[in-house]
């Protein structure tokens, strides 16, 4: 299992070399700018362009001659070096950590060109240096590139371009680790359910009957854990890989986006969660068909690894009624369009789930120290039922937000949560009893502690009924603007981000889609890029482009924790024109606003059109993603993704304002 954990953690770790990416941006007419980005491994640094005679290997970038291209000036290093005097080399040198950007302007003399760039570099850390390395990049400058459009190297597909251009935190930064931690916790929680816990003695009995050497016994136990992880992970991985092979990353992302935002899967998940909750409360039992379980169990008696596999399969099938909704919850939270996220989170869940079974298979005598099955297991099941009800509401809320049904506003959502967790607290205190509960002659310390935690959570929720932001739950609750009453603001918010009252377009109309879309914290802005761009040019302000989504948990968290800061709100309100582009909104636009893609696909909904615009223009399909633009549609500073640093966001906004002023 240690190997499995190591493999899981190594998915996001690259080899100790530099990963180079390229992009091409059209500046004006036939003038283009090539950007080369070097991703430097953690703890290492790269030497800048120098040059250093009798010193370290400087980074060298050489464009090979091309009849269709004329270079304009020399390669420019855009990332500032850390300069210091190096005693070993006896000279001042410059190093770069994390990421380095280099640009080269060129003029296209023909219709298109394929450039080749020679790259040479060396990286070092505190203790040693790796040998100098080199590579050659091929960069296509295609015909008809539009101003400001990002065009990736020829070998990259559009979906790969999105992954290459998006900053590492665009999709959530540390959010993948949050998903992994949640998945691990759910994996351990699943062990305490009545359909899983009784499988422990069965596991121990199976391995105690096995013959052979101790080494063979340890190998069997290890394979048991591997098979459990594989049975949970491989089906998910197969679905993702098949869709990727058939239609590319974009199709995989579309499937996940459909699962995460379309009303049909969300309503199905909501109903499934409610059905499982009812089962946990004791209304009925959900089990896999007996013929399937019996047939699988009978094959577990076979010798060799086949028997171990069928033993693992029996465990997975028998425990389905308790792990099914947990697995669904883990997967849905990770379906953000990223290829690895669902696979990694399922590996994390199944590893945590399989670990105790593997340990007991290694050391069967440990079973004697385990608590016996009893009424406490049913109590765990009932508590999970309450949690299922609370979590299931999120699916209904996503469908409600993306389709603007208006069924589950924030105060209704909170009222249900307050009722659910209050009932859970009363259950823990023994004031409520379900059909399969045992008699509780006294209240244990553990249940009392849990009851205190649950009622404390309820007290935390109550102020939200009057508009308290509840920042800790911002990613799970409907937006604050859906609440009818906010204390201190009456029934609405009237703050504006200009000085003339109601925000109007250049033509004097209300902004498109402002009848059903809203910005947080009373900010006013646009929901159509062209309208916002025209207005920004008219009032002489930079454009703040917010790629967001109704089902984007990280977007709500950014708005609640970062946008709510007085400094951030002040800068957004006074210095920027804001445009929020929702990538998952299902509103179908008039036919004259439909967009036909390069492949001939017709996009009709606002969300699909915005998503296509984000991918084609900025090479990104993750949310949140923030872009600051000037009048010429040029990016003022490096875009920013999910990052809860308020100081960092303030600096991001101020640097954008300063860069805009410098353009004037």
């Amino acid at each position: 299992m240690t190997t499995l954990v190591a493999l899981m953690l190594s998915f996001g770790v690259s080899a100790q070399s530099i990963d180079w990416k390229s992009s091409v941006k059209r500046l004006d007419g036939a003038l283009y700018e090539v950007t080369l980005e070097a991703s430097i491994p953690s703890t290492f640094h790269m030497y800048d362009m120098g040059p250093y005679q009798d010193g370290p290997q400087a980074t060298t970038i050489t464009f090979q001659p091309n009849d269709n291209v004329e270079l304009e000036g020399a390669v420019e290093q855009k990332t500032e070096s850390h300069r210091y005097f190096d005693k070993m080399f006896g000279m001042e040198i410059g190093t770069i950590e994390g990421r380095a950007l280099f640009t080269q302007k060129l003029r296209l003399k023909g219709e298109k060109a394929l450039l080749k760039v020679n790259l040479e570099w060396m990286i070092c850390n505190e203790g040693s240096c790796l040998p100098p390395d080199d590579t050659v990049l091929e960069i296509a400058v295609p015909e008809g590139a539009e101003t400001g459009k990002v065009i990736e190297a020829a070998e990259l597909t559009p979906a790969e371009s999105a992954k290459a251009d998006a900053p590492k935190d665009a999709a959530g930064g540390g959010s993948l680790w949050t998903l992994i931690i949640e998945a691990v916790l759910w994996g351990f929680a699943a062990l305490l359910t009545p359909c899983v816990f009784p499988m422990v003695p069965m596991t121990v009995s199976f391995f105690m009957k096995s013959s052979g050497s101790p080494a063979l016994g340890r190998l069997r136990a290890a394979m048991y854990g591997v098979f459990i992880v594989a049975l949970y992970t491989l089906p998910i991985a197969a679905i993702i890989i098949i869709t990727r092979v058939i239609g590319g990353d974009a199709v995989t992302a579309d499937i996940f986006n459909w699962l995460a935002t379309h009303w049909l899967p969300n309503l199905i998940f909501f109903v499934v969660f409610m059905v499982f909750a009812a089962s946990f409360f004791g209304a009925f039992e959900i089990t896999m068909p007996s013929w399937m379980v019996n047939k699988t169990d009978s094959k577990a008696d076979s010798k060799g690894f086949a028997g171990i596999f069928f033993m693992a399969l029996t465990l997975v099938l028998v425990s389905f009624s308790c792990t099914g909704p947990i697995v669904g919850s883990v997967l849905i939270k990770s379906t953000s369009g990223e290829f690895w996220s669902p696979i990694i989170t399922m590996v994390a869940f199944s590893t945590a789930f399989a670990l105790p079974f593997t340990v007991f298979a290694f050391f069967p005598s440990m079973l004697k120290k385990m608590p016996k099955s009893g009424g406490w297991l049913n109590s765990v099941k009932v508590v999970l039922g309450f949690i299922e009800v609370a979590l299931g509401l999120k699916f209904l809320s996503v469908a409600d937000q993306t389709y603007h049904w208006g069924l589950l506003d924030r105060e209704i959502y909170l009222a249900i949560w307050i009722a659910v967790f209050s009932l859970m607290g009363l259950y823990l205190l023994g004031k409520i009893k379900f059909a399969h509960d045992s008699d509780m002659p006294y209240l244990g310390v553990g249940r009392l502690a849990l009851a205190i935690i649950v009622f404390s959570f309820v007290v935390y929720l109550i102020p939200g009924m009057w508009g308290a932001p509840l920042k800790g739950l911002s990613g799970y609750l409907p937006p604050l603007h859906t609440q009818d009453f906010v204390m201190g603001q009456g029934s609405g918010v009237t703050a504006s981000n200009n000085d003339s009252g109601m925000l109007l377009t250049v033509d004097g109309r209300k902004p498109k889609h402002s009848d059903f879309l809203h910005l947080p914290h009373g900010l006013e802005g646009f929901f159509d890029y062209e309208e916002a761009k025209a207005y920004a040019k008219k009032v002489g302000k930079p454009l703040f482009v917010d790629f967001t989504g109704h089902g984007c948990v990280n977007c709500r968290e950014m708005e609640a924790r970062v946008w709510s800061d007085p400094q951030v709100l002040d800068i957004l309100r006074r210095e920027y024109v804001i445009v929020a582009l929702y990538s998952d909104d299902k509103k179908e636009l008039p036919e004259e606003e439909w967009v036909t893609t390069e492949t001939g696909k017709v996009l009709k909904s606002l969300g699909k059109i915005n998503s296509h615009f984000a991918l084609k223009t900025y090479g990104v399909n993750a949310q949140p993603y923030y872009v600051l633009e000037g009048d010429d549609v040029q990016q003022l500073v490096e875009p920013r993704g999910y990052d809860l640093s308020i100081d960092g966001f303030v600096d991001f906004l101020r640097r954008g304002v300063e860069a805009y002023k410098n353009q004037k």
Side-chain angles (χ1 to χ4, degrees), residues 182 253 286 468 485 504:
E182 284 188 26
I286 300 177
F485 175 76
L504 301 175

Side-chain angles (χ1 to χ4, degrees), residues 183-196:
V184 169
L185 294 176
W186 276 118
F188 286 130
L191 295 166
L192 300 177
T193 56
C195 28
V196 177

Side-chain angles (χ1 to χ4, degrees), residues 4-63:
L4 283 172
V5 175
L7 286 173
M8 180 185 73
L9 296 179
S10 67
F11 279 138
V13 181
S14 61
Q16 298 303 313
S17 186
I18 286 183
D19 182 23
W20 288 91
K21 295 182 175 68
S22 63
S23 62
V24 179
K25 184 183 298 182
R26 184 180 181 187
L27 299 180
D28 183 32
L31 184 64
Y32 291 80
E33 182 179 71
V34 175
T35 299
L36 301 172
E37 178 184 340
S39 297
I40 306 167
S42 175
T43 74
F44 281 78
H45 61 259
M46 178 178 74
Y47 294 103
D48 62 10
M49 299 186 69
Y52 303 114
Q53 185 175 357
D54 299 325
Q57 169 71 55
T59 299
T60 305
I61 301 174
T62 307
F63 283 78

Side-chain angles (χ1 to χ4, degrees), residues 263 266-267 270 393-416 478-479 481-484 516:
W263 68 269
N266 274 283
L267 286 187
F270 169 71
L393 284 178
K394 177 62 179 174
F395 300 111
L396 181 59
S397 175
V398 169
D400 183 56
Q401 292 297 313
T402 54
Y403 288 90
H404 313 289
W405 294 336
L407 300 176
L408 201 59
D409 291 345
R410 189 172 184 266
E411 66 270 25
I412 298 176
Y413 195 103
L414 280 171
I416 297 174
H481 67 73
T482 65
Q483 190 149 334
D484 293 332
F516 60 90

Side-chain angles (χ1 to χ4, degrees), residues 36 64 129 149 157 159 186 196 204 236 250 445 457 576 581 584 607 610 631:
L36 301 172
Q64 297 182 12
C129 292
K149 297 298 175 76
T157 66
W186 276 118
V196 177
V204 174
I236 302 300
V445 176
F457 181 63
Y576 284 94
L581 302 178
D584 56 3
N610 284 337
D631 292 340

